[in-house]
Amino acid sequence: MENFGPITPGQVSLLVGFVPVIVAWLYSELLVRQNNSNASEISRCSDADSVGNDSKIQLLEGGTSLTPPSEVRRSSPSFLRCLLMDKDFLLQNHSTLRSLTEFGAILSLYYVCDRTNLFGESDQYYSRDLFLFLYFLLIVVAAITSLKKHQNQSPGSGKSVRYLNRDQTEEWKGLMQVLFVMYHYFGALETYNAIRTFIAAYVWMTGFGNFSYYYVRKDFSLSRFAQMMWRLNFFVAFCCIALDNHYMFYYICPMHTFFTLMVYCALGLFNKYNKYGWAIAAKIGACFLVIAVVWEVPGVFDFVWHPFAFLLGYSDPDESEPHGPMDEWHYRSGLDRYIWILGMIYAYYHPTVERWMQKLEETRVWLQMLIKASIVAVCFVVGYLWYEYVFKLDRRTYIAYHPYTSWIPITVYIVLRNITQQFRNYTLALFGWLGKITLETYISQCHIWLRTGGPDKRARKNLSLIPNYPMLNFLLTTAIYVTVAHRVFGLTNRLKMAFVPSGDDKRMLCNIVVAAIAAIVLYCFSLVVFNVPKMLA
Ligand SMILES: *[C@@H]1O[C@H](CO)[C@@H](O)[C@H](O)[C@H]1NC(C)=O
Ligand SMILES: *[C@@H]1O[C@H](CO)[C@@H](O)[C@H](O)[C@H]1NC(C)=O
């Protein structure tokens, strides 16, 4: 097995770190088995195979009269108990250990697929016909098999008036994500402008979703914030270490993290004034101002972002023209710099628009038709003008206009998608499902679907498991890819619950400190391992 790229200390620490986890997991598996047979004798709890959830384990522990878990937890720090292979502790955390092991296995799979030549690779091949055929085929399949009607009847009125944000945005994400990853798989360079628009729509959703959340729930707690960050960055952080890539290689993650942070700050600072309209207006104005100053005034960007170069620097080793390390971040973040603010504005006016729509729904039919028809007409004209005069521009020119025009297609889509009650009530559940795992499909694609073949290299080849049968190979790798991405989504959530429990700041901080210490120890250890051979030589 030939390796691309040298092994790094980070990879060694990861490997060394996973060994005790695997051992602990195997041991806990054994303990659970034993415990189960004991328990079934005592309490006839014969449900031996489904030991996945903690509550059942605790139930079993009760059956075998072990010390109550809460008491054990208090007696000594959990990390130590894990090291000492404390039986109760391992039993309690059996499912977490299993998730960690599975997570490690997935990372290894990524490494093997991407960085070794155990599996082959194939060139990308683009045919517009095939590309669109596959995409529309999927839409047709989704429509046939998973068209879902939502019944959100609000009490009182006969018609449903809820606007089903979650389902619709998830479906929207799914629709875009499929095209986005297919663009990478087939190297469909001609859809470049469309992809930029989709990314803008994701960023719009970041602003929209996060604003709605913080504005309505007013939950600025540390644990909630940490959970959000975990969701966005946990998997990518491990991918960076395991595959020796820069964070910016997965540019979607730093971008969404940054814009999420901006929304959090915008609403979190002085949040007691959020109930006043003027305060929100001032905050949104301030966001515009900050972004405009940093991105539009020459020199400010470099000054502000220079200290973060270690995190956000990136350059493609295959690129022929030399670039500064921060150019990538400048370009990516700059493209969508305003659209998240627009998402916040839309979220703020969402209730108002909803009220209008309800009123519209209740007016006489002919008037309603007339208004809707004119809205549709306006949308079509605006959308067409945008398509003709902006979208069709060549890549470079389009990019220059993108930050100021991406709101047009987004708005048109939102309006048309919601224009009638029927449209609003139906979603394609298949795309909704795919929309939930966009982050995982985004990160995974480079490693188990495409191939980069080296640190920081852009994926320009496809993974090939069935040589010479490109379409069969596409089918097989896609099935594996989507399954693994879905697993990762579940694992990220399960581990989030274990390490960043909601509303338990103390335990979370404790976890952070332990994780930091463990990481430092492991890293130092692997540095030593690395340098000993050099010193001996
Ligand atoms: C905030 O934005 C991030 C990034 O898009 C997203 O993952 C997260 O779910 C959003 N939070 C809420 C509450 O919508
Ligand atoms: C309309 O549709 C979009 C996306 O499909 C959704 O995000 C939005 O909340 C919907 N409702 C309104 C009132 O805009």
Side-chain angles (χ1 to χ4, degrees):
M1 224 155 59
E2 185 196 332
N3 282 314
F4 304 102
I7 303 286
T8 63
Q11 287 164 344
V12 174
S13 353
L14 210 55
L15 200 62
V16 174
F18 268 116
V19 171
V21 171
I22 294 174
V23 172
W25 167 65
L26 286 174
Y27 187 47
S28 77
E29 196 76 35
L30 201 77
L31 287 176
V32 167
R33 291 276 139 80
Q34 272 175 8
N35 225 359
N36 270 341
S37 48
N38 287 350
S40 55
E41 275 163 33
I42 296 169
S43 62
R44 292 185 197 286
C45 186
S46 55
D47 208 2
D49 282 328
S50 56
V51 281
N53 44 4
D54 290 296
S55 60
K56 200 158 275 162
I57 294 168
Q58 262 158 29
L59 196 128
L60 294 177
E61 279 171 0
T64 49
S65 71
L66 295 170
T67 344
S70 56
E71 237 166 77
V72 184
R73 188 169 298 154
R74 249 174 276 129
S75 58
S76 64
S78 48
F79 183 61
L80 269 183
R81 291 172 47 213
C82 186
L83 278 185
L84 298 173
M85 296 265 165
D86 181 298
K87 275 190 188 177
D88 306 336
F89 178 81
L90 290 183
L91 271 175
Q92 275 166 36
N93 294 291
H94 163 254
S95 69
T96 306
L97 286 169
R98 191 165 62 180
S99 301
L100 278 173
T101 310
E102 190 183 340
F103 187 71
I106 288 177
L107 285 180
S108 326
L109 174 74
Y110 283 22
Y111 187 86
V112 170
C113 286
D114 190 15
R115 296 299 158 78
T116 68
N117 54 11
L118 190 66
F119 303 115
E121 62 185 18
S122 57
D123 287 325
Q124 295 181 338
Y125 155 81
Y126 176 67
S127 131
R128 188 187 298 161
D129 186 37
L130 179 67
F131 183 78
L132 293 178
F133 165 73
L134 286 172
Y135 185 61
F136 289 116
L137 183 68
L138 189 65
I139 293 187
V140 170
V141 169
I144 294 171
T145 59
S146 75
L147 191 69
K148 198 162 111 194
K149 186 164 169 35
H150 301 271
Q151 243 117 21
N152 267 24
Q153 306 283 4
S154 57
S157 80
K159 285 184 171 174
S160 58
V161 285
R162 291 269 305 129
Y163 295 108
L164 309 161
N165 273 305
R166 199 83 209 178
D167 293 304
Q168 267 190 35
T169 41
E170 232 114 63
E171 175 210 62
W172 186 9
K173 271 195 202 168
L175 282 166
M176 297 190 302
Q177 183 74 3
V178 170
L179 212 61
F180 180 47
V181 295
M182 275 173 63
Y183 154 78
H184 288 140
Y185 193 87
F186 291 98
L189 288 180
E190 65 172 11
T191 54
Y192 186 83
N193 293 358
I195 301 300
R196 296 278 76 80
T197 314
F198 293 170
I199 308 251
Y202 289 132
V203 176
W204 179 89
M205 281 184 237
T206 297
F208 183 85
N210 284 287
F211 183 95
S212 313
Y213 179 82
Y214 289 121
Y215 187 67
V216 175
R217 300 268 188 93
K218 304 181 182 70
D219 176 4
F220 299 99
S221 68
L222 194 61
S223 61
R224 174 67 212 185
F225 175 74
Q227 286 188 340
M228 201 93 94
M229 288 295 122
W230 180 285
R231 168 81 182 86
L232 280 172
N233 290 309
F234 166 74
F235 181 46
V236 73
F238 278 90
C239 277
C240 286
I241 302 173
L243 295 149
D244 191 23
N245 285 331
H246 275 86
Y247 183 39
M248 200 48 208
F249 177 78
Y250 309 94
Y251 67 91
I252 294 277
C253 298
M255 217 167 73
H256 282 287
T257 307
F258 172 64
F259 293 128
T260 304
L261 270 174
M262 289 295 284
V263 179
Y264 181 78
C265 291
L267 283 178
L269 297 175
F270 306 111
N271 58 54
K272 60 175 186 282
Y273 299 109
N274 281 355
K275 53 180 182 285
Y276 305 112
W278 57 265
I280 297 291
K283 286 177 172 198
I284 288 177
C287 287
F288 265 116
L289 196 70
V290 168
I291 295 289
V293 168
V294 174
W295 269 266
E296 319 267 349
V297 180
V300 179
F301 181 89
D302 292 325
F303 177 76
V304 170
W305 287 107
H306 183 70
F308 299 96
F310 71 97
L311 197 62
L312 299 170
Y314 171 80
S315 44
D316 185 350
D318 292 336
E319 197 77 59
S320 47
E321 313 159 37
H323 282 295
M326 292 304 276
D327 286 355
E328 178 80 4
W329 172 240
H330 188 195
Y331 164 62
R332 299 291 183 189
S333 61
L335 278 178
D336 298 315
R337 57 185 180 261
Y338 294 117
I339 199 73
W340 61 278
I341 308 182
L342 199 77
M344 301 207 319
I345 298 177
Y346 282 21
Y348 183 68
Y349 283 110
H350 193 256
T352 320
V353 174
E354 217 162 291
R355 243 175 288 127
W356 286 347
M357 288 170 85
Q358 192 180 347
K359 239 183 233 154
L360 185 63
E361 235 40 86
E362 283 159 6
T363 49
R364 267 158 300 164
V365 176
W366 65 268
L367 190 63
Q368 190 183 333
M369 289 299 215
L370 190 71
I371 296 175
K372 283 186 176 173
S374 28
I375 294 177
V376 171
V378 170
C379 278
F380 271 113
V381 170
V382 173
Y384 175 75
L385 290 177
W386 172 81
Y387 176 75
E388 200 57 36
Y389 293 103
V390 183
F391 184 75
K392 277 181 158 179
L393 291 171
D394 71 286
R395 207 170 142 148
R396 267 172 210 283
T397 334
Y398 174 78
I399 287 173
Y401 288 114
H402 176 88
Y404 315 103
T405 53
S406 57
W407 59 274
I408 301 173
I410 293 174
T411 311
V412 167
Y413 177 80
I414 293 170
V415 173
L416 292 181
R417 184 71 183 76
N418 295 303
I419 193 76
T420 74
Q421 199 79 57
Q422 282 75 21
F423 271 24
R424 244 172 275 148
N425 279 351
Y426 284 100
T427 55
L428 301 174
L430 178 64
F431 282 97
W433 186 83
L434 287 169
K436 282 203 183 76
I437 55 170
T438 45
L439 192 70
E440 287 73 21
T441 44
Y442 169 74
I443 296 168
S444 307
Q445 60 170 345
C446 317
H447 309 304
I448 52 169
W449 203 43
L450 309 165
R451 253 166 78 97
T452 62
D456 276 347
K457 284 194 186 185
R458 290 264 175 245
R460 295 200 172 89
K461 301 266 184 177
N462 297 338
L463 180 68
S464 166
L465 301 178
I466 314 178
N468 301 326
Y469 287 91
M471 290 325 286
L472 272 186
N473 180 60
F474 173 70
L475 193 68
L476 180 65
T477 50
T478 306
I480 298 174
Y481 158 59
V482 175
T483 312
V484 170
H486 189 250
R487 284 303 295 179
V488 173
F489 172 75
L491 289 175
T492 306
N493 273 336
R494 237 167 293 147
L495 293 173
K496 181 178 82 184
M497 289 309 160
F499 290 99
V500 198
S502 338
D504 192 347
D505 286 358
K506 220 178 109 199
R507 193 153 146 227
M508 184 187 83
L509 287 176
C510 178
N511 284 341
I512 291 176
V513 171
V514 169
I517 294 174
I520 292 170
V521 169
L522 279 172
Y523 196 75
C524 292
F525 173 77
S526 57
L527 275 185
V528 170
V529 170
F530 252 73
N531 289 319
V532 164
K534 270 187 217 147
M535 284 190 304
L536 292 180

